[in-house]
């Protein structure tokens, strides 16, 4: 097998080049090749200095994650990085793309770093439930100080070359298109400089105030995760003990995290997210439809949010409403949202104008005729949707994709109201649509393969994580929400309180519990609005005007600042319904809440898989992580079931009398 590493000589400079697509991950062959090449450079008397660079789209993007959990092949990455740093001849890293994780650590082990302006440096291991385990936690603070090291390791966001240069991580920013030559020129300049600068030989003073402030600032973001605290502890160690001792601590913490379920869950999601974009039975190279302009029907919260995704990606949008007032209100909200991002420094003022400039608001439905993709985002009513699709059928250009943002309804029925069901697809965005990363792409019976593939590719362009779902009531996410809600409501009558159920869900790691969610979304959502037809606690609350946060009363009472407190009135209503239904009271434990609200979700997920409404279990996990805030360190409901133990989940479901999915019963669930 040919090595992904080759060398080139340029006078007394040895250039070591990695060519390991797609992202130059530091797998065994790359590490072995690098070790051999650096040894060659050290041994060769005609060589004075070395350059390490990569071909393709990026410098090393990290350790090869697919090797984790398998037997380690020599040399281990930490050993390789130490060996590079110990070289008696200077080594220069020439960086383009993203030097991430182990890639960043290789660069930090080099004595000098040059980078193109578009390059980024980062240690995103924390997002995989890990820490930079090849000396990164010890070299970063020594080179860039405690604050930046904390930011980079515990939060995992990469920094641009310019920032890295300002912080002392990059020695020279070179021209975008002459990295190879500029790196050689730089190497010649430093070839004879002594002493050779080594990060490990530097020291960094303890800074407890910065550490305390950083930990406090990020308390919410880190809640429930193990890895951030371990990253922080390693950075602190770098300020307290000699390098070699710090490295030992880093190794021990790295191995602890690596063996834990959190990292396994986060690595699962890393691959699950990428897997989700692959559609069974459709070749990867299928010809896509060209989407130059998008039409959106409805300028409400959803329509506006959906439009913003495309505008932000530079795709013009025509947005249609029935009334001028609604149109103005909708576009006003979009502008306000963009301006809020600009105030926070996330957008430049000219980007706001650029996005809004690409929006064409209109009352003229016929304006949709020029659109290549039209997304209907009106309220959930089958007749209204059928009517809209019928009208679209007569005016949309041939080959235009017709999408519905429905959260529940049958895409096949909607498609049947057109003469081109092959062009119809579901695009279920989650609210707020300009923020939430999930997109459920609903494949109808007749949806054409190129329509599906085009929408999946477009999702990536607008920075969504897309998952293919089949036609089933509520698709993947909302369908799984239903059994959870049914059980939560029953538990109220049996003796649990909304506070207890929500607390169990929040302790599990969800951003909020089912009743907090109901209050936020609106208790009146889906209510039939017939005061004479009160069938459960929720109807009773809705009929009393307890519509949630917007009315300062729902399952909780709220003060003016929307702080919730338990509601005596809700307790009364629950009691009334308990008596009316003759439901016996019992002491509901937290464990029972887990078994009765979370296990049924796993069960529903298993049914969805059995019915072929999701392509794979990991897609279901992606839906729950990106659409509903399931804690990523638990890897999604299906991964969690595995860590919880399928037998335990099965026993729990049977104990509470659920009808259990066959695959859970016969152990074929994967
Ligand atoms: C680490 O370094 C530990 C060390 O500190 C200590 C060790 C002792 N390994 O994302 P894309 C695959 S931990 C293996 O679609 P993009 C990916 O699965 C690592 N495979 O491209 C996909 O495969 P497929 C720290 C990897 O252009 C393909 O490459 N580093 C790895 O949108 C394309 O990926 C990270 O966490 C990997 N490290 O984004 C960085 N990375 O085509 C992780 C990618 O079969 N990577 N693949 O589905 C990324 O963030 C993005 O891939 C990157 C490119 C930004 C680089």
């Amino acid at each position: 097998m040919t090595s992904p590493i080759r060398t080139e000589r340029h006078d007394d400079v040895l250039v070591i080049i990695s060519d390991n697509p797609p992202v130059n991950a530091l797998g065994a062959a790359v590490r072995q090749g690098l070790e051999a090449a650096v040894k060659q450079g050290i041994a060769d008397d005609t060589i004075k200095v070395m350059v390490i660079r990569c071909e393709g789209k990026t410098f090393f993007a990290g350790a090869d994650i697919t090797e984790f959990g398998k037997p380690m092949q020599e040399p281990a990455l930490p050993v390789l990085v130490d060996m590079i740093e110990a070289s008696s001849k200077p080594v220069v890293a020439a960086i383009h793309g993203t030097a991430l994780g182990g890639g960043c650590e290789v660069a930090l082990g080099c004595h000098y770093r040059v980078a193109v302006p578009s390059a980024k440096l980062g240690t995103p291991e924390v997002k995989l439930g890990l820490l930079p385990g090849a000396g990164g936690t010890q070299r970063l603070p020594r080179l860039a100080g405690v604050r930046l090291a904390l930011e980079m390791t515990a939060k995992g966001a990469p920094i641009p070359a310019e920032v890295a240069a300002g912080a002392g991580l990059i020695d020279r920013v070179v021209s975008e298109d002459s990295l190879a030559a500029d790196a050689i020129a730089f190497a010649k300049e430093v070839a004879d400089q002594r002493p050779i600068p080594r990060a490990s030989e530097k020291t960094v003073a303890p800074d407890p105030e910065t550490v305390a402030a950083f930990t406090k600032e990020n308390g919410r973001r880190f809640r429930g995760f193990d890895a951030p605290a371990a990253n922080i502890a390693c950075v602190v160690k770098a300020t307290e003990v000699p390098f070699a001792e710090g490295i030992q601590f880093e190794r021990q913490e790295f191995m602890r995290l690596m063996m834990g379920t959190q990292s396994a869950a986060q690595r699962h999601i890393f691959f699950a997210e990428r897997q989700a974009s692959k559609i069974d039975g459709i070749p990867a190279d299928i010809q896509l439809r060209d989407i130059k302009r998008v039409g959106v029907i409805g300028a409400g919260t959803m329509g506006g949010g959906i439009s913003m995704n495309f505008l932000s990606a530079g795709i013009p949008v025509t947005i249609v409403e029935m009334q001028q007032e609604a149109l103005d209100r909708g576009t006003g909200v979009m502008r306000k949202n963009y301006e809020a991002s600009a105030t926070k420094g996330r957008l430049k003022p000219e980007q706001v104008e650029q996005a809004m400039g690409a929006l064409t608001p209109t009352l003229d439905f016929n304006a949709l005729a020029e659109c290549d993709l039209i997304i209907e985002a009106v309220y959930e009513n089958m007749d209204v949707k059928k009517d809209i699709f019928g009208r679209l059928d007569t005016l949309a250009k041939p080959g235009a994709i017709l999408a519905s943002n429905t959260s529940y309804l049958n895409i096949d029925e909607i498609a049947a109201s057109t003469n081109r069901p092959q062009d119809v697809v579901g695009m279920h965005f989650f609210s707020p649509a300009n923020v939430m990363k999930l997109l459920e792409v609903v494949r109808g019976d007749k949806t054409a393969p190129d329509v599906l593939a085009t929408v999946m590719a477009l999702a990536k362009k607008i920075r969504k994580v897309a998952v293919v779902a089949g036609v089933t009531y509520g698709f993947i996410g909302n369908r799984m929400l239903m059994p959870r809600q049914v059980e939560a409501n029953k538990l109220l009558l049996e003796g649990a309180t909304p506070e207890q159920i929500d607390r169990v869900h929040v302790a599990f790691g969800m951003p909020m519990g089912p009743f907090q969610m109901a209050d936020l979304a609106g208790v009146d959502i889906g209510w039939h609005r017939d005061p004479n037809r009160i069938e459960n606690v929720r109807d009773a609350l809705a009929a009393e005007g307890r519509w949630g946060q917007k009315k300062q009363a729902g399952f909780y009472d709220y003060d003016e600042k929307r702080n919730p407190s338990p509601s005596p009135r809700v307790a009364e209503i629950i009691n009334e319904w308990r008596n009316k239904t003759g439901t016996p009271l019992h002491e509901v434990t937290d464990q029972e809440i887990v078994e009765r609200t979370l296990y049924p979700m796993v069960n529903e997920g298993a049914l969805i898989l059995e019915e072929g409404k999701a392509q794979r279990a990991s897609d279901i996990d992606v839906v729950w992580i990106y659409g509903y805030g399931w804690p990523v360190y638990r890897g999604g409901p299906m991964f969690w079931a595995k860590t919880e133990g399928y037998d335990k989940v099965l026993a729990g479901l049977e104990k509470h009398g659920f009808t259990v999915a066959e695959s859970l019963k016969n152990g074929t669930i994967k």
Side-chain angles (χ1 to χ4, degrees), residues 22-23 57 61 63-65 102 105 124-125 128 132-133 270-271 274 278:
V23 297
K57 68 176 177 183
D64 186 336
I65 311 169
E105 292 173 291
E125 285 89 338
L128 301 169
F270 177 86
F271 289 114
R274 283 155 181 84
K278 300 180 174 108

Side-chain angles (χ1 to χ4, degrees), residues 22-23 25 57-58 61-66 68 77-78 98 100-103 105 124-125 128 130-134 251 254 270-271 274-275 278 460:
V23 297
K57 68 176 177 183
T58 181
D64 186 336
I65 311 169
T66 58
F68 290 177
L77 195 56
T98 40
L100 297 179
E105 292 173 291
E125 285 89 338
L128 301 169
L130 295 171
L131 51 82
R251 180 101 300 248
F254 181 82
F270 177 86
F271 289 114
R274 283 155 181 84
Q275 185 73 10
K278 300 180 174 108
K460 191 160 184 188

Side-chain angles (χ1 to χ4, degrees), residues 76-367:
L77 195 56
V79 174
L80 175 68
V81 174
D82 285 351
M83 180 238 170
I84 294 172
E85 198 195 44
S87 159
S88 54
K89 297 175 184 176
V91 185
V92 179
I95 303 169
H96 76 292
T98 40
L100 297 179
C104 183
E105 292 173 291
V106 166
L108 300 181
C110 293
H111 310 109
Y112 300 95
R113 287 156 293 277
V114 300
V116 297
S118 62
K120 286 188 174 159
L121 255 67
T123 48
E125 285 89 338
V126 71
K127 295 184 182 160
L128 301 169
L130 295 171
L131 51 82
T137 66
Q138 303 304 297
R139 288 192 177 89
L140 255 182
R142 283 178 162 81
L143 285 168
V146 170
R147 178 81 214 192
L148 190 61
L150 289 174
E151 288 284 341
M152 288 179 72
T153 59
K155 283 162 78 174
I159 55 169
E162 197 188 323
V163 175
L169 291 174
I170 299 284
D171 298 285
R172 184 175 294 168
V173 177
V174 300
S175 166
E176 195 67 54
D177 35 42
S178 56
L179 176 65
D182 289 354
I184 293 170
F186 180 91
K188 287 183 176 173
E189 284 175 40
V190 297
D192 297 317
Q193 270 182 33
R194 294 296 181 274
I196 294 177
R198 294 187 175 92
S200 66
E201 290 171 3
K202 291 181 172 253
T203 54
V204 52
D207 187 354
E209 285 85 31
T210 297
V211 176
F214 176 82
T215 309
K216 194 162 166 234
E217 272 162 39
N218 292 291
R220 243 180 100 97
R221 170 196 279 254
F222 296 160
R223 182 176 77 92
F225 288 90
D226 291 340
N231 275 278
I232 296 171
C234 286
V235 170
V236 169
K237 213 41 146 195
T239 68
E240 294 173 344
V241 298
F243 183 79
E245 218 177 296
I247 285 288
Q248 266 179 25
F249 182 72
E250 179 192 272
R251 180 101 300 248
Q252 168 200 316
E253 286 296 278
F254 181 82
M255 290 316 292
R256 181 176 66 82
L257 293 175
M258 178 69 102
M259 307 306 278
T261 33
Q262 288 207 352
S263 176
Q266 290 178 258
R267 282 180 276 135
H268 160 74
I269 288 300
F270 177 86
F271 289 114
E273 182 184 328
R274 283 155 181 84
Q275 185 73 10
S277 64
K278 300 180 174 108
I279 317 163
D280 289 347
I282 297 185
D285 59 355
I286 189 168
Q287 174 80 36
L288 303 180
R289 298 193 188 181
D290 198 12
I291 307 296
K292 291 212 185 70
R293 174 172 284 274
V294 173
V296 175
I297 306 171
T301 316
M302 279 320 277
I306 292 170
S307 303
M308 288 177 74
N309 290 305
F310 295 100
L311 296 171
S312 303
I315 303 171
V317 173
T318 300
I319 190 163
V320 186
E321 253 298 346
M322 304 227 298
Q323 307 287 340
Q324 189 66 43
E325 203 197 337
L327 189 61
D328 292 345
R329 198 179 327 117
T331 53
V333 170
M334 289 164 70
R335 173 169 281 282
K336 227 174 79 198
N337 286 341
Y338 273 129
E339 282 171 354
S341 299
T343 312
K344 287 182 198 142
R346 291 196 200 122
L347 282 182
K348 297 197 181 100
E350 57 269 27
Q351 286 175 305
V352 175
E353 294 315 317
Q354 212 171 26
M356 288 307 289
L359 179 70
T360 310
T362 176
L363 299 176
D364 178 12
F365 203 79
N366 293 322

Side-chain angles (χ1 to χ4, degrees), residues 217-543:
E217 272 162 39
N218 292 291
R220 243 180 100 97
R221 170 196 279 254
F222 296 160
R223 182 176 77 92
F225 288 90
D226 291 340
N231 275 278
I232 296 171
C234 286
V235 170
V236 169
K237 213 41 146 195
T239 68
E240 294 173 344
V241 298
F243 183 79
E245 218 177 296
I247 285 288
Q248 266 179 25
F249 182 72
E250 179 192 272
R251 180 101 300 248
Q252 168 200 316
E253 286 296 278
F254 181 82
M255 290 316 292
R256 181 176 66 82
L257 293 175
M258 178 69 102
M259 307 306 278
T261 33
Q262 288 207 352
S263 176
Q266 290 178 258
R267 282 180 276 135
H268 160 74
I269 288 300
F270 177 86
F271 289 114
E273 182 184 328
R274 283 155 181 84
Q275 185 73 10
S277 64
K278 300 180 174 108
I279 317 163
D280 289 347
I282 297 185
D285 59 355
I286 189 168
Q287 174 80 36
L288 303 180
R289 298 193 188 181
D290 198 12
I291 307 296
K292 291 212 185 70
R293 174 172 284 274
V294 173
V296 175
I297 306 171
T301 316
M302 279 320 277
I306 292 170
S307 303
M308 288 177 74
N309 290 305
F310 295 100
L311 296 171
S312 303
I315 303 171
V317 173
T318 300
I319 190 163
V320 186
E321 253 298 346
M322 304 227 298
Q323 307 287 340
Q324 189 66 43
E325 203 197 337
L327 189 61
D328 292 345
R329 198 179 327 117
T331 53
V333 170
M334 289 164 70
R335 173 169 281 282
K336 227 174 79 198
N337 286 341
Y338 273 129
E339 282 171 354
S341 299
T343 312
K344 287 182 198 142
R346 291 196 200 122
L347 282 182
K348 297 197 181 100
E350 57 269 27
Q351 286 175 305
V352 175
E353 294 315 317
Q354 212 171 26
M356 288 307 289
L359 179 70
T360 310
T362 176
L363 299 176
D364 178 12
F365 203 79
N366 293 322
L368 294 170
E370 58 173 354
C371 298
D372 307 294
L373 161 69
I374 303 168
I375 306 171
E376 162 278 308
V378 306
Y379 60 97
E380 290 286 58
N381 178 304
M382 182 54 97
D383 291 336
V384 174
K385 292 194 193 268
K386 278 182 174 168
D387 177 57
I388 287 177
F389 275 75
R391 286 167 69 195
L392 286 178
D393 195 22
T394 56
L395 74 88
K397 63 162 94 153
I401 297 176
L402 311 181
S404 170
N405 175 50
T406 178
S407 330
Y408 288 94
L409 301 178
N410 187 320
I411 292 293
D412 291 333
E413 207 179 322
I414 296 174
S417 59
T418 72
N419 288 309
R420 38 173 130 177
Q422 74 282 359
D423 296 338
V424 177
V425 67
M427 287 178 79
H428 178 209
F429 289 85
F430 287 69
S431 185
N434 52 321
V435 178
M436 296 296 285
K437 286 202 67 157
L438 180 67
L439 178 68
E440 274 183 328
V441 176
V442 188
R443 179 181 204 170
D445 269 355
K446 300 203 170 120
T447 305
D450 66 333
V451 166
L452 195 62
T454 301
V455 171
M456 294 299 280
L458 195 59
K460 191 160 184 188
K461 212 163 171 183
I462 61 171
R463 305 169 75 140
K464 297 285 178 211
V465 180
V467 170
V468 178
V471 175
T472 174
Y473 191 68
F475 313 124
I476 297 173
N478 284 343
R479 174 166 162 183
M480 287 168 69
L481 205 53
M482 287 185 271
R484 181 181 98 162
Q485 199 58 50
V486 167
E487 284 306 304
N489 293 343
K490 279 192 201 161
L491 282 162
L492 285 186
L493 299 188
E494 292 173 36
T497 59
E499 301 82 79
Q500 185 194 5
I501 296 171
D502 286 342
R503 178 177 49 71
V504 169
H505 280 247
V506 172
F508 182 81
M510 301 296 291
M512 62 187 99
F515 299 105
Q516 290 162 326
M517 190 165 144
D519 275 2
L520 182 68
V523 177
D524 56 318
I525 287 191
W527 183 46
H528 41 62
R529 283 169 207 270
D530 178 354
N532 299 318
R533 231 183 85 203
I534 297 176
E535 287 161 2
N536 51 40
V537 171
R538 195 179 168 120
D539 286 352
L541 296 184

